[in-house]
Every structure is written in C-alpha cells, then in structure tokens.
Amino acid sequence: GENVEQHPSTLSVQEGDSAVIKCTYSDSASNYFPWYKQELGKGPQLIIDIRSNVGEKKDQRIAVTLNKTAKHFSLHITETQPEDSAVYFCAARKYNFNKFYFGSGTKLNVKP
Amino acid sequence: DTEVTQTPKHLVMGMTNKKSLKCEQHMGHRAMYWYKQKAKKPPELMFVYSYEKLSINESVPSRFSPECPNSSLLNLHLHALQPEDSALYLCASSQGTKGKNEQYFGPGTRLTVT
C-alpha cells in the first residue's frame, strides 16, 4: 500500500513569515495530493490540491508543489496570519481508487 | 456548495447502548466515507461506500455497522462499544473513482463511551 510521511510534526513561525510543510509518498501510482487544514473541534477542510500532471498550484497565500520523480510534495503558506494556526494534513490517492492515505499531521503555530 | 452535515455533534453513550451517527451530502457524490480520528492523529479510514455499495471495510470490529440508505445518506450504527472507541467520527464524500478527486469532510461527531 501507500505510505505518506509528513514533516515537521510541529512548526512555529512569526506572523508574516512563510511556512513550509513537506510530505513524501511511496507509491508511484498515486496521482492526487490534497492538503487539509483542521482547526480545533472541526473536521478537516480541503484547502488546496494538486494532480500529478501539474508541478505547482497557487491560491492566494497558499501554494503546493509536486516533484513526481522524488515523490514529494510541499505546502507553502506565505505572509502567515494567526488564523493560519491549525493542524495540516497531506494525503495521497491513487487513480481509480477510493482510498486516501494521510500524513501524520503538522501543528502550525503562528505567533502574533 | 461543498457541505457535508453530521448529526449529532456530540454523543455520550454507555457500553450497552445502541446509537447511530448520521451523515448527509447533497453534492451528488457517489463515494461516502467513515473515518475515526483520535486526538493529534490523522483520520483513520473505517468504511467506504461507492455507489451505495460497501467497497472498503478496514477490518473494523462488528460493533460498528455502516449503512448507506441512498446516495445522499450514510449511517454508522454503534452497539456495545468500548471506552477506547471514544473519538471524533468523521464522514466525508467525494465524486467517486469516475469523477473529480476532491474529498470533503463533515464537522464530525464527538463520541464518548462511558
């Protein structure tokens, strides 16, 4: 099966700084990579995703990059704000398969 | 609209009780999921329904019984649970293997087994 590893497990940044969270995956058949943000007491919220035919995708202050050869993908948050503080999960899914494999999560703390 | 709703928000039950969790989506999604999430851990897949048929059961104990009455509804029936089953239970949906990949989660049901 697929194995997704996520680093770091915790990340503290100053407001306005950038934050980067990295994930690696093991199965080259994985072709869809979403990122979720989970605030305390809530369900995970899909914030950005990328498919294997694309190298980078941006949405305002967040971006995701994918390196298929190295089997890793990263979440980049620029100009961080206190409301970005949450747990972030990466995931991977194979084509035509209804199962998502999650990373272990990164707790991001943005200090005002 | 990407909303998945879950009821109840909180549930406290004894080990001999029978209760059900409910999930609903109106996005026309044909895949629906139950996950269990413990504190500080990622969601752990329990069941997947695809086109109203159970397609994945991750070796979940029989005290958890899923049901998909129609393409919009998903239930999880609970019976004779153990204290270690206390967790956040998340429902999610996606278009399914033949459609877009995006999976959307509900807010979860916080279950406490006493």
Side-chain angles (χ1 to χ4, degrees):
Chain A
E2 172 68 282
N3 182 42
V4 177
E5 294 192 357
Q6 183 173 344
H7 300 280
S9 56
T10 59
L11 179 59
S12 284
V13 299
Q14 208 64 39
E15 181 177 359
D17 287 350
S18 295
V20 180
I21 303 170
K22 298 183 179 182
C23 288
T24 61
Y25 62 99
S26 60
D27 192 336
S28 56
S30 290
N31 71 337
Y32 173 67
F33 307 93
W35 284 90
Y36 292 90
K37 174 185 181 182
Q38 188 172 24
E39 295 173 291
L40 201 60
K42 297 186 177 180
Q45 175 195 2
L46 177 66
I47 57 171
I48 197 167
D49 56 12
I50 193 166
R51 289 168 177 78
S52 58
N53 58 348
V54 175
E56 183 175 2
K57 183 177 178 181
K58 280 186 181 178
D59 183 3
Q60 299 183 334
R61 295 187 297 109
I62 60 173
V64 56
T65 57
L66 171 65
N67 183 325
K68 279 196 305 182
T69 305
K71 294 199 192 77
H72 67 71
F73 57 112
S74 300
L75 177 70
H76 305 253
I77 306 174
T78 58
E79 300 172 25
T80 53
Q81 300 167 4
E83 51 265 39
D84 294 329
S85 296
V87 178
Y88 291 80
F89 292 102
C90 64
R93 180 193 135 157
K94 290 190 279 191
Y95 173 74
N96 219 29
F97 192 48
N98 272 332
K99 183 170 179 177
F100 291 76
Y101 296 85
F102 284 83
S104 53
T106 297
K107 185 174 182 181
L108 173 64
N109 179 33
V110 180
K111 295 175 281 187
Chain B
D1 182 18
T2 57
E3 190 178 21
V4 176
T5 59
Q6 288 187 245
T7 56
K9 286 190 175 180
H10 302 276
L11 179 62
V12 179
M13 60 186 289
M15 289 190 282
T16 58
N17 291 159
K18 283 185 181 181
K19 296 286 185 184
S20 296
L21 310 184
K22 296 185 184 303
C23 173
E24 191 166 4
Q25 57 87 14
H26 294 288
M27 294 178 277
H29 288 175
R30 301 315 298 268
M32 295 187 77
Y33 309 73
W34 280 116
Y35 289 88
K36 174 183 177 180
Q37 188 179 30
K38 290 282 210 178
K40 302 183 180 179
K41 297 288 187 185
E44 178 186 340
L45 184 65
M46 301 174 72
F47 303 103
V48 182
Y49 273 83
S50 178
Y51 292 84
E52 297 152 57
K53 289 187 167 55
L54 184 64
S55 63
I56 298 177
N57 176 345
E58 294 285 277
S59 303
V60 178
S62 59
R63 59 186 183 268
F64 295 92
S65 175
E67 178 196 20
C68 189
N70 61 53
S71 60
S72 300
L73 294 173
L74 186 67
N75 298 321
L76 186 63
H77 303 296
L78 314 172
H79 174 56
L81 295 192
Q82 305 295 310
E84 57 265 29
D85 297 322
S86 298
L88 182 68
Y89 287 84
L90 295 161
C91 174
S93 71
S94 70
Q95 279 202 7
T97 56
K98 294 180 172 58
K100 293 182 180 179
N101 297 285
E102 292 91 345
Q103 178 183 233
Y104 297 97
F105 283 86
T109 294
R110 173 72 61 189
L111 174 67
T112 303
V113 181
T114 60

PDB file of all heavy atoms in Angstrom, chain A residues 58-94:
ATOM      1  N   LYS A  58      -1.204  27.496  -7.158  1.00  0.00           N
ATOM      2  CA  LYS A  58      -1.273  28.575  -6.154  1.00  0.00           C
ATOM      3  C   LYS A  58      -2.702  29.017  -5.959  1.00  0.00           C
ATOM      4  O   LYS A  58      -3.505  29.009  -6.891  1.00  0.00           O
ATOM      5  CB  LYS A  58      -0.464  29.780  -6.634  1.00  0.00           C
ATOM      6  CG  LYS A  58       1.024  29.702  -6.434  1.00  0.00           C
ATOM      7  CD  LYS A  58       1.680  31.021  -6.815  1.00  0.00           C
ATOM      8  CE  LYS A  58       3.178  30.943  -6.649  1.00  0.00           C
ATOM      9  NZ  LYS A  58       3.845  32.192  -7.048  1.00  0.00           N
ATOM     10  N   ASP A  59      -3.000  29.426  -4.725  1.00  0.00           N
ATOM     11  CA  ASP A  59      -4.290  30.023  -4.432  1.00  0.00           C
ATOM     12  C   ASP A  59      -4.051  31.082  -3.362  1.00  0.00           C
ATOM     13  O   ASP A  59      -3.937  30.772  -2.181  1.00  0.00           O
ATOM     14  CB  ASP A  59      -5.282  28.966  -3.939  1.00  0.00           C
ATOM     15  CG  ASP A  59      -6.657  29.548  -3.683  1.00  0.00           C
ATOM     16  OD1 ASP A  59      -6.877  30.755  -3.932  1.00  0.00           O
ATOM     17  OD2 ASP A  59      -7.537  28.796  -3.226  1.00  0.00           O
ATOM     18  N   GLN A  60      -3.900  32.301  -3.811  1.00  0.00           N
ATOM     19  CA  GLN A  60      -3.637  33.440  -2.916  1.00  0.00           C
ATOM     20  C   GLN A  60      -2.352  33.188  -2.122  1.00  0.00           C
ATOM     21  O   GLN A  60      -1.277  33.082  -2.702  1.00  0.00           O
ATOM     22  CB  GLN A  60      -4.848  33.713  -2.035  1.00  0.00           C
ATOM     23  CG  GLN A  60      -6.084  34.083  -2.859  1.00  0.00           C
ATOM     24  CD  GLN A  60      -7.283  34.433  -1.998  1.00  0.00           C
ATOM     25  OE1 GLN A  60      -7.441  34.006  -0.856  1.00  0.00           O
ATOM     26  NE2 GLN A  60      -8.170  35.248  -2.550  1.00  0.00           N
ATOM     27  N   ARG A  61      -2.458  33.041  -0.795  1.00  0.00           N
ATOM     28  CA  ARG A  61      -1.239  32.902   0.018  1.00  0.00           C
ATOM     29  C   ARG A  61      -0.738  31.469   0.133  1.00  0.00           C
ATOM     30  O   ARG A  61       0.302  31.233   0.742  1.00  0.00           O
ATOM     31  CB  ARG A  61      -1.489  33.454   1.424  1.00  0.00           C
ATOM     32  CG  ARG A  61      -1.753  34.940   1.497  1.00  0.00           C
ATOM     33  CD  ARG A  61      -1.811  35.411   2.941  1.00  0.00           C
ATOM     34  NE  ARG A  61      -2.916  34.789   3.683  1.00  0.00           N
ATOM     35  CZ  ARG A  61      -2.760  33.869   4.628  1.00  0.00           C
ATOM     36  NH1 ARG A  61      -1.548  33.454   4.970  1.00  0.00           N
ATOM     37  NH2 ARG A  61      -3.818  33.372   5.268  1.00  0.00           N
ATOM     38  N   ILE A  62      -1.462  30.520  -0.401  1.00  0.00           N
ATOM     39  CA  ILE A  62      -1.021  29.126  -0.294  1.00  0.00           C
ATOM     40  C   ILE A  62      -0.657  28.565  -1.659  1.00  0.00           C
ATOM     41  O   ILE A  62      -1.231  28.959  -2.685  1.00  0.00           O
ATOM     42  CB  ILE A  62      -2.065  28.236   0.402  1.00  0.00           C
ATOM     43  CG1 ILE A  62      -3.386  28.233  -0.358  1.00  0.00           C
ATOM     44  CG2 ILE A  62      -2.276  28.667   1.841  1.00  0.00           C
ATOM     45  CD1 ILE A  62      -4.377  27.216   0.215  1.00  0.00           C
ATOM     46  N   ALA A  63       0.302  27.675  -1.657  1.00  0.00           N
ATOM     47  CA  ALA A  63       0.749  27.029  -2.884  1.00  0.00           C
ATOM     48  C   ALA A  63       1.171  25.610  -2.554  1.00  0.00           C
ATOM     49  O   ALA A  63       1.543  25.299  -1.408  1.00  0.00           O
ATOM     50  CB  ALA A  63       1.917  27.785  -3.501  1.00  0.00           C
ATOM     51  N   VAL A  64       1.078  24.754  -3.537  1.00  0.00           N
ATOM     52  CA  VAL A  64       1.550  23.372  -3.389  1.00  0.00           C
ATOM     53  C   VAL A  64       2.456  23.072  -4.566  1.00  0.00           C
ATOM     54  O   VAL A  64       2.177  23.471  -5.698  1.00  0.00           O
ATOM     55  CB  VAL A  64       0.376  22.375  -3.289  1.00  0.00           C
ATOM     56  CG1 VAL A  64      -0.566  22.477  -4.475  1.00  0.00           C
ATOM     57  CG2 VAL A  64       0.873  20.967  -3.109  1.00  0.00           C
ATOM     58  N   THR A  65       3.575  22.395  -4.284  1.00  0.00           N
ATOM     59  CA  THR A  65       4.485  21.967  -5.336  1.00  0.00           C
ATOM     60  C   THR A  65       4.597  20.450  -5.299  1.00  0.00           C
ATOM     61  O   THR A  65       4.462  19.832  -4.237  1.00  0.00           O
ATOM     62  CB  THR A  65       5.881  22.592  -5.146  1.00  0.00           C
ATOM     63  OG1 THR A  65       6.384  22.228  -3.854  1.00  0.00           O
ATOM     64  CG2 THR A  65       5.821  24.109  -5.252  1.00  0.00           C
ATOM     65  N   LEU A  66       4.822  19.855  -6.448  1.00  0.00           N
ATOM     66  CA  LEU A  66       4.919  18.397  -6.559  1.00  0.00           C
ATOM     67  C   LEU A  66       6.145  18.034  -7.371  1.00  0.00           C
ATOM     68  O   LEU A  66       6.353  18.563  -8.463  1.00  0.00           O
ATOM     69  CB  LEU A  66       3.663  17.839  -7.230  1.00  0.00           C
ATOM     70  CG  LEU A  66       3.683  16.366  -7.626  1.00  0.00           C
ATOM     71  CD1 LEU A  66       3.778  15.467  -6.396  1.00  0.00           C
ATOM     72  CD2 LEU A  66       2.457  16.020  -8.457  1.00  0.00           C
ATOM     73  N   ASN A  67       6.948  17.116  -6.843  1.00  0.00           N
ATOM     74  CA  ASN A  67       8.076  16.555  -7.572  1.00  0.00           C
ATOM     75  C   ASN A  67       7.809  15.056  -7.699  1.00  0.00           C
ATOM     76  O   ASN A  67       8.021  14.283  -6.768  1.00  0.00           O
ATOM     77  CB  ASN A  67       9.379  16.819  -6.818  1.00  0.00           C
ATOM     78  CG  ASN A  67      10.602  16.306  -7.570  1.00  0.00           C
ATOM     79  OD1 ASN A  67      10.551  15.269  -8.248  1.00  0.00           O
ATOM     80  ND2 ASN A  67      11.698  17.013  -7.447  1.00  0.00           N
ATOM     81  N   LYS A  68       7.313  14.653  -8.876  1.00  0.00           N
ATOM     82  CA  LYS A  68       6.932  13.241  -9.083  1.00  0.00           C
ATOM     83  C   LYS A  68       8.136  12.315  -9.056  1.00  0.00           C
ATOM     84  O   LYS A  68       8.057  11.193  -8.581  1.00  0.00           O
ATOM     85  CB  LYS A  68       6.210  13.096 -10.424  1.00  0.00           C
ATOM     86  CG  LYS A  68       4.765  13.473 -10.376  1.00  0.00           C
ATOM     87  CD  LYS A  68       4.019  12.960 -11.595  1.00  0.00           C
ATOM     88  CE  LYS A  68       4.639  13.402 -12.904  1.00  0.00           C
ATOM     89  NZ  LYS A  68       3.870  12.943 -14.074  1.00  0.00           N
ATOM     90  N   THR A  69       9.251  12.798  -9.573  1.00  0.00           N
ATOM     91  CA  THR A  69      10.446  11.965  -9.637  1.00  0.00           C
ATOM     92  C   THR A  69      10.926  11.603  -8.234  1.00  0.00           C
ATOM     93  O   THR A  69      11.241  10.457  -7.944  1.00  0.00           O
ATOM     94  CB  THR A  69      11.570  12.683 -10.399  1.00  0.00           C
ATOM     95  OG1 THR A  69      11.080  13.068 -11.686  1.00  0.00           O
ATOM     96  CG2 THR A  69      12.787  11.800 -10.547  1.00  0.00           C
ATOM     97  N   ALA A  70      10.925  12.604  -7.364  1.00  0.00           N
ATOM     98  CA  ALA A  70      11.383  12.390  -5.996  1.00  0.00           C
ATOM     99  C   ALA A  70      10.269  11.914  -5.088  1.00  0.00           C
ATOM    100  O   ALA A  70      10.505  11.575  -3.928  1.00  0.00           O
ATOM    101  CB  ALA A  70      11.989  13.689  -5.458  1.00  0.00           C
ATOM    102  N   LYS A  71       9.051  11.920  -5.585  1.00  0.00           N
ATOM    103  CA  LYS A  71       7.857  11.517  -4.815  1.00  0.00           C
ATOM    104  C   LYS A  71       7.718  12.366  -3.557  1.00  0.00           C
ATOM    105  O   LYS A  71       7.608  11.840  -2.436  1.00  0.00           O
ATOM    106  CB  LYS A  71       7.911  10.032  -4.443  1.00  0.00           C
ATOM    107  CG  LYS A  71       7.833   9.077  -5.619  1.00  0.00           C
ATOM    108  CD  LYS A  71       7.431   7.694  -5.115  1.00  0.00           C
ATOM    109  CE  LYS A  71       7.613   6.639  -6.174  1.00  0.00           C
ATOM    110  NZ  LYS A  71       9.010   6.254  -6.358  1.00  0.00           N
ATOM    111  N   HIS A  72       7.764  13.672  -3.744  1.00  0.00           N
ATOM    112  CA  HIS A  72       7.437  14.512  -2.604  1.00  0.00           C
ATOM    113  C   HIS A  72       6.653  15.744  -3.048  1.00  0.00           C
ATOM    114  O   HIS A  72       6.704  16.182  -4.206  1.00  0.00           O
ATOM    115  CB  HIS A  72       8.662  14.873  -1.757  1.00  0.00           C
ATOM    116  CG  HIS A  72       9.668  15.739  -2.398  1.00  0.00           C
ATOM    117  ND1 HIS A  72       9.484  17.080  -2.674  1.00  0.00           N
ATOM    118  CD2 HIS A  72      10.943  15.465  -2.755  1.00  0.00           C
ATOM    119  CE1 HIS A  72      10.575  17.576  -3.207  1.00  0.00           C
ATOM    120  NE2 HIS A  72      11.470  16.624  -3.280  1.00  0.00           N
ATOM    121  N   PHE A  73       5.858  16.263  -2.130  1.00  0.00           N
ATOM    122  CA  PHE A  73       5.051  17.449  -2.377  1.00  0.00           C
ATOM    123  C   PHE A  73       5.034  18.300  -1.113  1.00  0.00           C
ATOM    124  O   PHE A  73       5.217  17.785  -0.003  1.00  0.00           O
ATOM    125  CB  PHE A  73       3.631  17.097  -2.854  1.00  0.00           C
ATOM    126  CG  PHE A  73       2.831  16.208  -1.957  1.00  0.00           C
ATOM    127  CD1 PHE A  73       1.715  16.698  -1.287  1.00  0.00           C
ATOM    128  CD2 PHE A  73       3.134  14.855  -1.808  1.00  0.00           C
ATOM    129  CE1 PHE A  73       0.946  15.884  -0.474  1.00  0.00           C
ATOM    130  CE2 PHE A  73       2.376  14.029  -0.999  1.00  0.00           C
ATOM    131  CZ  PHE A  73       1.275  14.550  -0.324  1.00  0.00           C
ATOM    132  N   SER A  74       4.871  19.591  -1.309  1.00  0.00           N
ATOM    133  CA  SER A  74       5.009  20.533  -0.206  1.00  0.00           C
ATOM    134  C   SER A  74       3.906  21.581  -0.230  1.00  0.00           C
ATOM    135  O   SER A  74       3.422  21.974  -1.296  1.00  0.00           O
ATOM    136  CB  SER A  74       6.361  21.255  -0.284  1.00  0.00           C
ATOM    137  OG  SER A  74       7.435  20.347  -0.210  1.00  0.00           O
ATOM    138  N   LEU A  75       3.555  22.035   0.967  1.00  0.00           N
ATOM    139  CA  LEU A  75       2.599  23.133   1.138  1.00  0.00           C
ATOM    140  C   LEU A  75       3.380  24.370   1.565  1.00  0.00           C
ATOM    141  O   LEU A  75       4.195  24.304   2.489  1.00  0.00           O
ATOM    142  CB  LEU A  75       1.566  22.779   2.209  1.00  0.00           C
ATOM    143  CG  LEU A  75       0.540  23.865   2.552  1.00  0.00           C
ATOM    144  CD1 LEU A  75      -0.428  24.060   1.386  1.00  0.00           C
ATOM    145  CD2 LEU A  75      -0.218  23.509   3.822  1.00  0.00           C
ATOM    146  N   HIS A  76       3.124  25.477   0.879  1.00  0.00           N
ATOM    147  CA  HIS A  76       3.797  26.735   1.201  1.00  0.00           C
ATOM    148  C   HIS A  76       2.735  27.760   1.573  1.00  0.00           C
ATOM    149  O   HIS A  76       1.797  27.989   0.800  1.00  0.00           O
ATOM    150  CB  HIS A  76       4.576  27.249  -0.016  1.00  0.00           C
ATOM    151  CG  HIS A  76       5.561  26.264  -0.570  1.00  0.00           C
ATOM    152  ND1 HIS A  76       6.926  26.406  -0.404  1.00  0.00           N
ATOM    153  CD2 HIS A  76       5.387  25.126  -1.280  1.00  0.00           C
ATOM    154  CE1 HIS A  76       7.546  25.396  -0.986  1.00  0.00           C
ATOM    155  NE2 HIS A  76       6.640  24.593  -1.523  1.00  0.00           N
ATOM    156  N   ILE A  77       2.891  28.357   2.742  1.00  0.00           N
ATOM    157  CA  ILE A  77       1.994  29.432   3.162  1.00  0.00           C
ATOM    158  C   ILE A  77       2.834  30.687   3.331  1.00  0.00           C
ATOM    159  O   ILE A  77       3.801  30.688   4.104  1.00  0.00           O
ATOM    160  CB  ILE A  77       1.272  29.101   4.487  1.00  0.00           C
ATOM    161  CG1 ILE A  77       0.556  27.745   4.394  1.00  0.00           C
ATOM    162  CG2 ILE A  77       0.282  30.208   4.834  1.00  0.00           C
ATOM    163  CD1 ILE A  77      -0.063  27.281   5.710  1.00  0.00           C
ATOM    164  N   THR A  78       2.498  31.730   2.600  1.00  0.00           N
ATOM    165  CA  THR A  78       3.235  32.992   2.724  1.00  0.00           C
ATOM    166  C   THR A  78       2.438  33.975   3.578  1.00  0.00           C
ATOM    167  O   THR A  78       1.216  33.823   3.752  1.00  0.00           O
ATOM    168  CB  THR A  78       3.506  33.614   1.347  1.00  0.00           C
ATOM    169  OG1 THR A  78       2.244  33.827   0.699  1.00  0.00           O
ATOM    170  CG2 THR A  78       4.368  32.699   0.490  1.00  0.00           C
ATOM    171  N   GLU A  79       3.166  34.967   4.107  1.00  0.00           N
ATOM    172  CA  GLU A  79       2.529  36.032   4.920  1.00  0.00           C
ATOM    173  C   GLU A  79       1.569  35.427   5.938  1.00  0.00           C
ATOM    174  O   GLU A  79       0.393  35.773   5.997  1.00  0.00           O
ATOM    175  CB  GLU A  79       1.796  37.013   4.006  1.00  0.00           C
ATOM    176  CG  GLU A  79       2.715  37.691   3.004  1.00  0.00           C
ATOM    177  CD  GLU A  79       1.939  38.518   1.977  1.00  0.00           C
ATOM    178  OE1 GLU A  79       0.818  38.947   2.279  1.00  0.00           O
ATOM    179  OE2 GLU A  79       2.482  38.710   0.873  1.00  0.00           O
ATOM    180  N   THR A  80       2.084  34.522   6.749  1.00  0.00           N
ATOM    181  CA  THR A  80       1.227  33.797   7.691  1.00  0.00           C
ATOM    182  C   THR A  80       0.514  34.746   8.648  1.00  0.00           C
ATOM    183  O   THR A  80       1.025  35.815   9.021  1.00  0.00           O
ATOM    184  CB  THR A  80       2.031  32.772   8.495  1.00  0.00           C
ATOM    185  OG1 THR A  80       3.155  33.435   9.110  1.00  0.00           O
ATOM    186  CG2 THR A  80       2.525  31.645   7.611  1.00  0.00           C
ATOM    187  N   GLN A  81      -0.674  34.307   9.039  1.00  0.00           N
ATOM    188  CA  GLN A  81      -1.519  35.076   9.961  1.00  0.00           C
ATOM    189  C   GLN A  81      -1.915  34.167  11.114  1.00  0.00           C
ATOM    190  O   GLN A  81      -1.920  32.936  10.963  1.00  0.00           O
ATOM    191  CB  GLN A  81      -2.758  35.574   9.204  1.00  0.00           C
ATOM    192  CG  GLN A  81      -2.413  36.479   8.033  1.00  0.00           C
ATOM    193  CD  GLN A  81      -3.582  36.718   7.093  1.00  0.00           C
ATOM    194  OE1 GLN A  81      -4.712  36.264   7.333  1.00  0.00           O
ATOM    195  NE2 GLN A  81      -3.333  37.435   6.014  1.00  0.00           N
ATOM    196  N   PRO A  82      -2.259  34.738  12.275  1.00  0.00           N
ATOM    197  CA  PRO A  82      -2.644  33.891  13.420  1.00  0.00           C
ATOM    198  C   PRO A  82      -3.753  32.903  13.083  1.00  0.00           C
ATOM    199  O   PRO A  82      -3.754  31.777  13.598  1.00  0.00           O
ATOM    200  CB  PRO A  82      -3.099  34.917  14.463  1.00  0.00           C
ATOM    201  CG  PRO A  82      -2.289  36.139  14.155  1.00  0.00           C
ATOM    202  CD  PRO A  82      -2.185  36.172  12.642  1.00  0.00           C
ATOM    203  N   GLU A  83      -4.653  33.276  12.194  1.00  0.00           N
ATOM    204  CA  GLU A  83      -5.759  32.364  11.825  1.00  0.00           C
ATOM    205  C   GLU A  83      -5.293  31.183  10.969  1.00  0.00           C
ATOM    206  O   GLU A  83      -6.068  30.255  10.720  1.00  0.00           O
ATOM    207  CB  GLU A  83      -6.890  33.115  11.115  1.00  0.00           C
ATOM    208  CG  GLU A  83      -6.456  33.980   9.970  1.00  0.00           C
ATOM    209  CD  GLU A  83      -6.240  35.431  10.379  1.00  0.00           C
ATOM    210  OE1 GLU A  83      -5.719  35.671  11.491  1.00  0.00           O
ATOM    211  OE2 GLU A  83      -6.580  36.322   9.571  1.00  0.00           O
ATOM    212  N   ASP A  84      -4.029  31.184  10.566  1.00  0.00           N
ATOM    213  CA  ASP A  84      -3.463  30.023   9.868  1.00  0.00           C
ATOM    214  C   ASP A  84      -3.086  28.925  10.865  1.00  0.00           C
ATOM    215  O   ASP A  84      -2.786  27.792  10.471  1.00  0.00           O
ATOM    216  CB  ASP A  84      -2.222  30.402   9.053  1.00  0.00           C
ATOM    217  CG  ASP A  84      -2.542  31.335   7.890  1.00  0.00           C
ATOM    218  OD1 ASP A  84      -3.665  31.243   7.343  1.00  0.00           O
ATOM    219  OD2 ASP A  84      -1.684  32.177   7.552  1.00  0.00           O
ATOM    220  N   SER A  85      -3.064  29.249  12.150  1.00  0.00           N
ATOM    221  CA  SER A  85      -2.726  28.266  13.182  1.00  0.00           C
ATOM    222  C   SER A  85      -3.755  27.140  13.178  1.00  0.00           C
ATOM    223  O   SER A  85      -4.960  27.381  13.293  1.00  0.00           O
ATOM    224  CB  SER A  85      -2.692  28.927  14.573  1.00  0.00           C
ATOM    225  OG  SER A  85      -1.666  29.900  14.644  1.00  0.00           O
ATOM    226  N   ALA A  86      -3.281  25.918  13.000  1.00  0.00           N
ATOM    227  CA  ALA A  86      -4.146  24.743  12.880  1.00  0.00           C
ATOM    228  C   ALA A  86      -3.237  23.532  12.686  1.00  0.00           C
ATOM    229  O   ALA A  86      -2.015  23.650  12.634  1.00  0.00           O
ATOM    230  CB  ALA A  86      -5.102  24.878  11.694  1.00  0.00           C
ATOM    231  N   VAL A  87      -3.870  22.362  12.543  1.00  0.00           N
ATOM    232  CA  VAL A  87      -3.134  21.160  12.140  1.00  0.00           C
ATOM    233  C   VAL A  87      -3.362  20.954  10.642  1.00  0.00           C
ATOM    234  O   VAL A  87      -4.500  21.038  10.171  1.00  0.00           O
ATOM    235  CB  VAL A  87      -3.597  19.932  12.932  1.00  0.00           C
ATOM    236  CG1 VAL A  87      -2.857  18.684  12.454  1.00  0.00           C
ATOM    237  CG2 VAL A  87      -3.363  20.141  14.428  1.00  0.00           C
ATOM    238  N   TYR A  88      -2.296  20.711   9.923  1.00  0.00           N
ATOM    239  CA  TYR A  88      -2.365  20.500   8.480  1.00  0.00           C
ATOM    240  C   TYR A  88      -2.012  19.047   8.155  1.00  0.00           C
ATOM    241  O   TYR A  88      -1.032  18.508   8.671  1.00  0.00           O
ATOM    242  CB  TYR A  88      -1.405  21.444   7.754  1.00  0.00           C
ATOM    243  CG  TYR A  88      -1.848  22.889   7.834  1.00  0.00           C
ATOM    244  CD1 TYR A  88      -1.596  23.644   8.976  1.00  0.00           C
ATOM    245  CD2 TYR A  88      -2.544  23.482   6.788  1.00  0.00           C
ATOM    246  CE1 TYR A  88      -2.020  24.961   9.082  1.00  0.00           C
ATOM    247  CE2 TYR A  88      -2.970  24.806   6.874  1.00  0.00           C
ATOM    248  CZ  TYR A  88      -2.709  25.536   8.028  1.00  0.00           C
ATOM    249  OH  TYR A  88      -3.143  26.834   8.123  1.00  0.00           O
ATOM    250  N   PHE A  89      -2.834  18.431   7.306  1.00  0.00           N
ATOM    251  CA  PHE A  89      -2.593  17.056   6.870  1.00  0.00           C
ATOM    252  C   PHE A  89      -2.404  17.025   5.358  1.00  0.00           C
ATOM    253  O   PHE A  89      -3.177  17.654   4.624  1.00  0.00           O
ATOM    254  CB  PHE A  89      -3.790  16.154   7.200  1.00  0.00           C
ATOM    255  CG  PHE A  89      -4.005  15.911   8.668  1.00  0.00           C
ATOM    256  CD1 PHE A  89      -5.002  16.590   9.348  1.00  0.00           C
ATOM    257  CD2 PHE A  89      -3.228  14.990   9.352  1.00  0.00           C
ATOM    258  CE1 PHE A  89      -5.217  16.367  10.696  1.00  0.00           C
ATOM    259  CE2 PHE A  89      -3.433  14.764  10.707  1.00  0.00           C
ATOM    260  CZ  PHE A  89      -4.422  15.460  11.379  1.00  0.00           C
ATOM    261  N   CYS A  90      -1.409  16.277   4.909  1.00  0.00           N
ATOM    262  CA  CYS A  90      -1.300  15.972   3.486  1.00  0.00           C
ATOM    263  C   CYS A  90      -1.913  14.593   3.257  1.00  0.00           C
ATOM    264  O   CYS A  90      -2.111  13.823   4.205  1.00  0.00           O
ATOM    265  CB  CYS A  90       0.155  15.996   3.020  1.00  0.00           C
ATOM    266  SG  CYS A  90       1.203  14.725   3.777  1.00  0.00           S
ATOM    267  N   ALA A  91      -2.224  14.291   2.020  1.00  0.00           N
ATOM    268  CA  ALA A  91      -2.780  12.982   1.683  1.00  0.00           C
ATOM    269  C   ALA A  91      -2.419  12.643   0.247  1.00  0.00           C
ATOM    270  O   ALA A  91      -2.011  13.504  -0.533  1.00  0.00           O
ATOM    271  CB  ALA A  91      -4.293  12.969   1.886  1.00  0.00           C
ATOM    272  N   ALA A  92      -2.568  11.373  -0.082  1.00  0.00           N
ATOM    273  CA  ALA A  92      -2.315  10.895  -1.437  1.00  0.00           C
ATOM    274  C   ALA A  92      -3.382   9.883  -1.815  1.00  0.00           C
ATOM    275  O   ALA A  92      -3.894   9.159  -0.957  1.00  0.00           O
ATOM    276  CB  ALA A  92      -0.926  10.258  -1.528  1.00  0.00           C
ATOM    277  N   ARG A  93      -3.702   9.866  -3.098  1.00  0.00           N
ATOM    278  CA  ARG A  93      -4.715   8.916  -3.583  1.00  0.00           C
ATOM    279  C   ARG A  93      -4.293   8.398  -4.945  1.00  0.00           C
ATOM    280  O   ARG A  93      -3.774   9.147  -5.766  1.00  0.00           O
ATOM    281  CB  ARG A  93      -6.070   9.612  -3.689  1.00  0.00           C
ATOM    282  CG  ARG A  93      -7.200   8.720  -4.186  1.00  0.00           C
ATOM    283  CD  ARG A  93      -8.428   9.492  -4.561  1.00  0.00           C
ATOM    284  NE  ARG A  93      -8.957   9.023  -5.830  1.00  0.00           N
ATOM    285  CZ  ARG A  93     -10.209   9.171  -6.218  1.00  0.00           C
ATOM    286  NH1 ARG A  93     -11.065   9.795  -5.455  1.00  0.00           N
ATOM    287  NH2 ARG A  93     -10.600   8.720  -7.373  1.00  0.00           N
ATOM    288  N   LYS A  94      -4.528   7.131  -5.166  1.00  0.00           N
ATOM    289  CA  LYS A  94      -4.218   6.528  -6.467  1.00  0.00           C
ATOM    290  C   LYS A  94      -5.396   6.684  -7.413  1.00  0.00           C
ATOM    291  O   LYS A  94      -6.553   6.701  -6.981  1.00  0.00           O
ATOM    292  CB  LYS A  94      -3.908   5.031  -6.298  1.00  0.00           C
ATOM    293  CG  LYS A  94      -2.607   4.763  -5.607  1.00  0.00           C
ATOM    294  CD  LYS A  94      -2.239   3.300  -5.672  1.00  0.00           C
ATOM    295  CE  LYS A  94      -2.956   2.489  -4.632  1.00  0.00           C
ATOM    296  NZ  LYS A  94      -2.388   1.128  -4.540  1.00  0.00           N
TER     297      LYS A  94
END
